[in-house]
Amino acid sequence: MKHLKSLSLTACALLMAGTSAFASEIQLVDDFSTSQALLSDQVVDGSGDFSQVGAAGDTSILGGYRDLYIEEVASGLFGDSPTSGITAQVSGDRLTVELGSLVKAFAVVTYDGSNEVGSNFAGGVDTGGLGGMDFTGTTDFLFEDIFNDGAAPAVLKIWSDDADNGVYVEHLVDLTTLGTSLADPLNPTLYDRMVGVNNFSDAGSINWAKIGAFQAWFNLDSTQNTDNSILSVDLSLGRIVAVPEPAALSMLGAGMLMLGFVGYRRKNKKQ
């Protein structure tokens, strides 16, 4: 039996800077300081396990609430078993998802306010649940401190009020994690990845001033064809940062200082 490390998505925090002639604003999406009890799915039956945590006014989570869903889609070495499958929890400022031997499974994290997505992660999102938050000036999403041992699919979704009429439209980008060995063969440890906002579908029509929901899929692509998901992949993610356009900052030097700090942390973790 192959011994698997945990598929961990740690400290997924999204920072963004708003446009202002006088000041910039940094906003946290999730630092995982709000714990979430263990979820578990060991049976392949088309459903999974889910929960929601948070409260109105919880500033550690974007919109106050976090929805987490996991689902096993192919049994592992021991079939449907309480010792196999997929588990997930948030504790110690860390989101950790673990797959059993030769298990295929995925996880979804959703931020859409108090709406409870449950198992309907694809169709149950309150697309305007965040009330039209301002991401103006964002040019890239930074996936920071990634560790994973295989190239696995992932999806980022946002919903924006493109026509400024209260109707929120879905935009997505399909990603592939690099796998630590591919990211840096001589130093197989943490790596960062930048994803430009222009990679989102219909990027030119996105109204970044009014974002209604945010969602991340891990080990699942936008087709939801689980044939494309990966067996027994290990993944950890330090955080997700929305990188602002320098012109959106009141001082360019402040923006460079922030990015320099990120690079400094990465360099030291690789030593």
Side-chain angles (χ1 to χ4, degrees), residues 22 94 175 228:
F22 305 100
R94 185 181 186 93
L175 311 170
N228 300 326

Side-chain angles (χ1 to χ4, degrees), residues 36-250:
Q36 197 155 3
L38 184 71
L39 300 178
S40 179
D41 185 30
Q42 283 91 25
V43 178
V44 179
D45 59 1
S47 64
D49 198 9
F50 58 87
S51 67
Q52 182 190 77
V53 296
D58 186 345
T59 58
S60 71
I61 304 174
L62 180 69
Y65 298 85
R66 176 201 311 127
D67 286 271
L68 178 60
Y69 177 75
I70 59 171
E71 182 179 337
E72 180 183 12
V73 296
S75 297
L77 193 60
F78 299 103
D80 292 339
S81 166
T83 62
S84 188
I86 177 174
T87 61
Q89 66 179 332
V90 177
S91 63
D93 301 337
R94 185 181 186 93
L95 168 61
T96 303
V97 181
E98 184 174 72
L99 278 69
S101 291
L102 302 181
V103 165
K104 185 179 287 188
F106 65 89
V108 178
V109 184
T110 306
Y111 304 93
D112 66 345
S114 61
N115 173 60
E116 188 167 0
V117 175
S119 62
N120 190 13
F121 67 93
V125 175
D126 181 355
T127 59
L130 297 177
M133 299 193 73
D134 190 358
F135 279 60
T136 301
T138 297
T139 58
D140 299 271
F141 286 91
L142 170 62
F143 289 77
E144 185 184 331
D145 296 344
I146 301 171
F147 179 91
N148 69 288
D149 58 0
V155 177
L156 269 185
K157 286 189 176 187
I158 58 96
W159 285 262
S160 61
D161 184 0
D162 295 344
D164 204 21
N165 61 358
V167 177
Y168 287 83
V169 179
E170 176 187 292
H171 300 271
L172 63 86
V173 55
D174 276 293
L175 311 170
T176 302
T177 62
L178 297 176
T180 301
S181 60
L182 294 176
D184 188 353
L186 299 180
N187 188 21
T189 180
L190 305 178
Y191 69 93
D192 297 344
R193 176 146 183 212
M194 297 280 284
V195 179
V197 296
N198 289 332
N199 292 313
F200 279 87
S201 55
D202 299 319
S205 66
I206 298 175
N207 181 5
W208 289 102
K210 289 189 176 180
I211 301 299
F214 177 85
Q215 189 178 66
W217 300 4
F218 301 96
N219 205 27
L220 187 68
D221 68 18
S222 61
T223 70
Q224 297 186 53
N225 182 353
T226 56
D227 288 344
N228 300 326
S229 299
I230 305 302
L231 290 171
S232 309
V233 63
D234 300 336
L235 175 69
S236 67
L237 174 62
R239 63 179 184 175
I240 303 174
V241 178
V243 180
E245 183 180 10
L249 301 173
S250 59

